[in-house]
Amino acid sequence: MNFDFSYMVELIPSILKYLPIVLYMTVFSFILAIVIGVLFAIIIKNKVKVLYPVSLMLISYFRGVPSLIQIFIFYFGLPQLFPSMSTMDAVTAVILALSVRNAAYLSEVFRSAFTAVDKGQTEAAISVSMTRWQTFTRVVLPQATRIAIPPTGNYFIILFKETSLAFTIGVTDMLAHAKLEAAATYKFLEAFLAVGLIYWAATIIFTYIQSKVEWQVEKPYR
Protein backbone atom coordinates (compact mmCIF):
# COMPACT_ATOMS: atom_id res chain seq x y z
CA MET A 1 0.00 0.00 0.00
CA ASN A 2 1.55 3.29 -1.16
CA PHE A 3 0.06 5.89 1.19
CA ASP A 4 2.11 8.68 2.78
CA PHE A 5 0.27 9.45 6.03
CA SER A 6 2.87 11.94 7.25
CA TYR A 7 2.62 13.93 4.00
CA MET A 8 -1.15 14.17 4.42
CA VAL A 9 -0.79 15.44 7.99
CA GLU A 10 1.86 17.98 6.95
CA LEU A 11 -0.39 19.22 4.14
CA ILE A 12 -3.39 20.00 6.37
CA PRO A 13 -2.00 23.28 7.88
CA SER A 14 -1.24 24.71 4.44
CA ILE A 15 -4.73 23.81 3.24
CA LEU A 16 -6.31 25.36 6.33
CA LYS A 17 -4.85 28.73 5.30
CA TYR A 18 -7.56 28.85 2.64
CA LEU A 19 -10.42 28.04 5.01
CA PRO A 20 -11.24 31.75 5.58
CA ILE A 21 -12.09 32.30 1.89
CA VAL A 22 -14.32 29.23 1.98
CA LEU A 23 -16.13 30.49 5.09
CA TYR A 24 -16.40 33.96 3.52
CA MET A 25 -18.17 32.57 0.45
CA THR A 26 -20.35 30.32 2.61
CA VAL A 27 -21.53 32.99 5.05
CA PHE A 28 -22.29 35.65 2.45
CA SER A 29 -24.03 33.14 0.16
CA PHE A 30 -26.09 31.91 3.11
CA ILE A 31 -27.18 35.39 4.17
CA LEU A 32 -28.24 36.26 0.63
CA ALA A 33 -29.98 32.90 0.26
CA ILE A 34 -32.04 33.54 3.40
CA VAL A 35 -33.07 37.03 2.27
CA ILE A 36 -34.03 35.90 -1.24
CA GLY A 37 -35.64 32.72 0.08
CA VAL A 38 -37.87 34.67 2.48
CA LEU A 39 -38.93 37.00 -0.35
CA PHE A 40 -39.78 34.01 -2.56
CA ALA A 41 -41.70 32.39 0.31
CA ILE A 42 -43.77 35.53 0.99
CA ILE A 43 -44.55 35.99 -2.70
CA ILE A 44 -45.61 32.35 -3.13
CA LYS A 45 -47.60 32.15 0.11
CA ASN A 46 -49.55 35.31 -0.72
CA LYS A 47 -49.66 34.57 -4.47
CA VAL A 48 -48.60 38.10 -5.35
CA LYS A 49 -49.80 39.03 -8.83
CA VAL A 50 -47.20 38.94 -11.62
CA LEU A 51 -44.42 38.07 -9.17
CA TYR A 52 -45.99 34.71 -8.27
CA PRO A 53 -45.55 32.94 -11.66
CA VAL A 54 -42.14 34.59 -12.16
CA SER A 55 -40.98 33.32 -8.75
CA LEU A 56 -42.19 29.81 -9.50
CA MET A 57 -40.30 29.80 -12.80
CA LEU A 58 -37.09 31.06 -11.18
CA ILE A 59 -37.33 28.54 -8.35
CA SER A 60 -37.89 25.72 -10.82
CA TYR A 61 -34.87 26.83 -12.86
CA PHE A 62 -32.46 27.19 -9.94
CA ARG A 63 -33.56 23.85 -8.52
CA GLY A 64 -33.22 22.07 -11.82
CA VAL A 65 -29.83 23.32 -13.00
CA PRO A 66 -26.61 21.96 -11.39
CA SER A 67 -24.62 24.34 -9.19
CA LEU A 68 -21.54 24.16 -11.43
CA ILE A 69 -23.48 25.26 -14.51
CA GLN A 70 -25.00 28.16 -12.58
CA ILE A 71 -21.57 29.28 -11.45
CA PHE A 72 -20.35 29.19 -15.07
CA ILE A 73 -23.39 31.17 -16.23
CA PHE A 74 -22.86 33.87 -13.61
CA TYR A 75 -19.12 34.15 -14.22
CA PHE A 76 -18.78 33.54 -17.97
CA GLY A 77 -22.30 33.99 -19.35
CA LEU A 78 -23.86 37.08 -17.76
CA PRO A 79 -20.94 39.41 -18.68
CA GLN A 80 -21.68 38.48 -22.30
CA LEU A 81 -25.20 39.92 -21.91
CA PHE A 82 -24.29 42.70 -19.50
CA PRO A 83 -20.78 44.05 -20.22
CA SER A 84 -20.79 45.99 -16.95
CA MET A 85 -20.62 42.66 -15.13
CA SER A 86 -17.29 41.82 -16.76
CA THR A 87 -15.56 43.36 -13.75
CA MET A 88 -17.18 40.85 -11.40
CA ASP A 89 -14.58 38.66 -9.72
CA ALA A 90 -14.82 34.90 -9.34
CA VAL A 91 -15.63 34.95 -5.62
CA THR A 92 -18.59 37.28 -6.20
CA ALA A 93 -19.87 35.02 -8.99
CA VAL A 94 -19.74 32.00 -6.70
CA ILE A 95 -21.56 33.86 -3.92
CA LEU A 96 -24.33 35.02 -6.26
CA ALA A 97 -24.75 31.65 -7.96
CA LEU A 98 -24.87 29.62 -4.76
CA SER A 99 -27.11 32.12 -2.97
CA VAL A 100 -29.88 32.09 -5.59
CA ARG A 101 -29.64 28.32 -5.97
CA ASN A 102 -30.04 27.69 -2.25
CA ALA A 103 -32.68 30.41 -1.98
CA ALA A 104 -34.82 28.32 -4.33
CA TYR A 105 -34.71 25.44 -1.84
CA LEU A 106 -34.98 27.58 1.28
CA SER A 107 -38.07 29.30 -0.09
CA GLU A 108 -40.01 26.05 0.36
CA VAL A 109 -38.58 25.63 3.86
CA PHE A 110 -39.72 29.13 4.83
CA ARG A 111 -43.10 28.83 3.12
CA SER A 112 -43.79 25.60 5.00
CA ALA A 113 -42.67 27.22 8.25
CA PHE A 114 -45.02 30.19 7.72
CA THR A 115 -47.88 27.86 6.86
CA ALA A 116 -47.25 25.76 9.98
CA VAL A 117 -48.08 28.72 12.24
CA ASP A 118 -51.73 28.51 13.25
CA LYS A 119 -53.85 31.07 11.37
CA GLY A 120 -55.81 31.62 14.56
CA GLN A 121 -52.83 33.36 16.11
CA THR A 122 -52.67 35.81 13.21
CA GLU A 123 -56.38 36.52 13.52
CA ALA A 124 -56.05 36.98 17.28
CA ALA A 125 -53.16 39.43 16.85
CA ILE A 126 -55.10 41.50 14.32
CA SER A 127 -58.16 41.47 16.57
CA VAL A 128 -56.18 43.27 19.30
CA SER A 129 -55.26 46.06 16.86
CA MET A 130 -51.83 44.81 15.81
CA THR A 131 -50.88 45.74 12.28
CA ARG A 132 -50.10 43.04 9.75
CA TRP A 133 -46.41 43.93 9.94
CA GLN A 134 -46.45 43.69 13.75
CA THR A 135 -48.31 40.39 13.51
CA PHE A 136 -45.76 39.03 11.08
CA THR A 137 -42.65 40.17 12.98
CA ARG A 138 -43.88 39.50 16.54
CA VAL A 139 -46.14 36.48 16.16
CA VAL A 140 -45.56 34.59 12.90
CA LEU A 141 -41.83 35.09 12.30
CA PRO A 142 -40.54 33.92 15.73
CA GLN A 143 -42.55 30.69 15.51
CA ALA A 144 -41.70 30.11 11.87
CA THR A 145 -38.01 30.63 12.67
CA ARG A 146 -38.13 27.87 15.28
CA ILE A 147 -39.61 25.50 12.71
CA ALA A 148 -37.20 26.50 9.94
CA ILE A 149 -33.92 26.32 11.87
CA PRO A 150 -33.22 22.54 11.49
CA PRO A 151 -33.59 22.35 7.68
CA THR A 152 -31.98 25.78 7.23
CA GLY A 153 -28.94 24.61 9.18
CA ASN A 154 -28.68 21.59 6.90
CA TYR A 155 -28.64 23.85 3.85
CA PHE A 156 -25.82 25.86 5.42
CA ILE A 157 -23.74 22.70 5.57
CA ILE A 158 -24.66 21.81 1.98
CA LEU A 159 -23.70 25.31 0.84
CA PHE A 160 -20.39 25.08 2.71
CA LYS A 161 -19.52 21.95 0.74
CA GLU A 162 -20.74 23.42 -2.56
CA THR A 163 -18.14 26.19 -2.31
CA SER A 164 -15.59 23.54 -3.30
CA LEU A 165 -16.79 24.16 -6.87
CA ALA A 166 -15.24 27.63 -6.77
CA PHE A 167 -11.86 26.32 -7.92
CA THR A 168 -13.37 25.61 -11.35
CA ILE A 169 -13.40 29.33 -12.14
CA GLY A 170 -10.02 30.13 -10.65
CA VAL A 171 -10.75 30.76 -6.95
CA THR A 172 -7.80 29.58 -4.87
CA ASP A 173 -9.57 27.73 -2.09
CA MET A 174 -8.75 24.59 -0.11
CA LEU A 175 -9.50 22.23 -2.97
CA ALA A 176 -7.54 24.30 -5.50
CA HIS A 177 -4.50 24.32 -3.22
CA ALA A 178 -4.76 20.58 -2.61
CA LYS A 179 -4.99 19.98 -6.35
CA LEU A 180 -1.84 22.03 -6.97
CA GLU A 181 0.02 20.12 -4.26
CA ALA A 182 -1.15 16.80 -5.67
CA ALA A 183 -0.08 17.76 -9.19
CA ALA A 184 3.41 18.56 -7.91
CA THR A 185 3.88 15.42 -5.81
CA TYR A 186 1.52 12.96 -7.54
CA LYS A 187 0.12 12.15 -4.10
CA PHE A 188 -3.50 12.71 -5.06
CA LEU A 189 -5.06 10.44 -2.46
CA GLU A 190 -3.25 12.12 0.42
CA ALA A 191 -4.06 15.65 -0.82
CA PHE A 192 -7.73 15.10 -1.52
CA LEU A 193 -8.20 13.06 1.64
CA ALA A 194 -6.70 15.94 3.64
CA VAL A 195 -9.29 18.31 2.13
CA GLY A 196 -12.05 15.80 2.81
CA LEU A 197 -11.04 15.49 6.46
CA ILE A 198 -11.11 19.28 6.88
CA TYR A 199 -14.59 19.51 5.35
CA TRP A 200 -15.70 16.60 7.53
CA ALA A 201 -14.34 18.21 10.71
CA ALA A 202 -15.96 21.55 9.87
CA THR A 203 -19.28 19.81 9.20
CA ILE A 204 -19.13 18.14 12.62
CA ILE A 205 -18.53 21.54 14.24
CA PHE A 206 -21.40 23.16 12.31
CA THR A 207 -23.73 20.30 13.25
CA TYR A 208 -22.83 20.74 16.92
CA ILE A 209 -23.48 24.49 16.75
CA GLN A 210 -26.79 23.85 15.00
CA SER A 211 -27.89 21.44 17.74
CA LYS A 212 -27.06 24.06 20.39
CA VAL A 213 -29.02 26.75 18.54
CA GLU A 214 -32.00 24.41 18.20
CA TRP A 215 -31.82 23.61 21.92
CA GLN A 216 -31.83 27.30 22.85
CA VAL A 217 -34.71 28.14 20.51
CA GLU A 218 -36.79 25.21 21.78
CA LYS A 219 -36.08 26.06 25.43
CA PRO A 220 -39.16 28.32 25.96
CA TYR A 221 -41.42 25.59 24.49
CA ARG A 222 -40.25 22.81 26.79
Side-chain angles (χ1 to χ4, degrees), residues 87-109:
T87 57
M88 179 173 59
D89 58 65
V91 172
T92 301
V94 171
I95 291 173
L96 292 175
L98 294 183
S99 63
V100 292
R101 171 174 168 75
N102 284 275
Y105 288 98
L106 286 172
S107 64
E108 183 60 25
V109 171

Side-chain angles (χ1 to χ4, degrees), residues 41-177:
I42 293 173
I43 291 170
I44 292 172
K45 186 176 183 297
N46 295 289
K47 295 185 177 179
V48 180
K49 290 182 179 179
V50 181
L51 295 178
Y52 176 67
V54 173
S55 297
L56 288 179
M57 182 187 68
L58 289 174
I59 290 171
S60 176
Y61 169 79
F62 287 121
R63 283 182 179 177
V65 178
S67 299
L68 184 58
I69 294 177
Q70 291 184 28
I71 290 173
F72 284 169
I73 288 174
F74 270 85
Y75 189 59
F76 297 112
L78 291 185
Q80 183 177 331
L81 295 177
F82 308 100
S84 60
M85 295 184 69
S86 59
T87 57
M88 179 173 59
D89 58 65
V91 172
T92 301
V94 171
I95 291 173
L96 292 175
L98 294 183
S99 63
V100 292
R101 171 174 168 75
N102 284 275
Y105 288 98
L106 286 172
S107 64
E108 183 60 25
V109 171
F110 299 146
R111 187 197 64 79
S112 300
F114 292 145
T115 304
V117 178
D118 188 0
K119 290 182 179 179
Q121 296 189 42
T122 301
E123 294 170 356
I126 293 175
S127 70
V128 295
S129 301
M130 290 180 69
T131 64
R132 289 194 174 275
W133 177 249
Q134 290 174 327
T135 300
F136 176 75
T137 56
R138 299 180 185 180
V139 178
V140 177
L141 188 59
Q143 297 182 71
T145 300
R146 178 176 67 91
I147 298 168
I149 281 177
T152 302
N154 291 335
Y155 277 109
F156 177 85
I157 292 173
I158 292 171
L159 201 158
F160 171 68
K161 292 183 290 185
E162 282 188 325
T163 58
S164 61
L165 297 172
F167 88 97
T168 59
I169 58 171
V171 177
T172 306
D173 62 351
M174 293 192 297
L175 182 56
H177 180 70

Side-chain angles (χ1 to χ4, degrees), residues 190-201:
E190 291 88 342
F192 292 137
L193 185 57
V195 178
L197 291 174
I198 292 172
Y199 273 103
W200 184 23

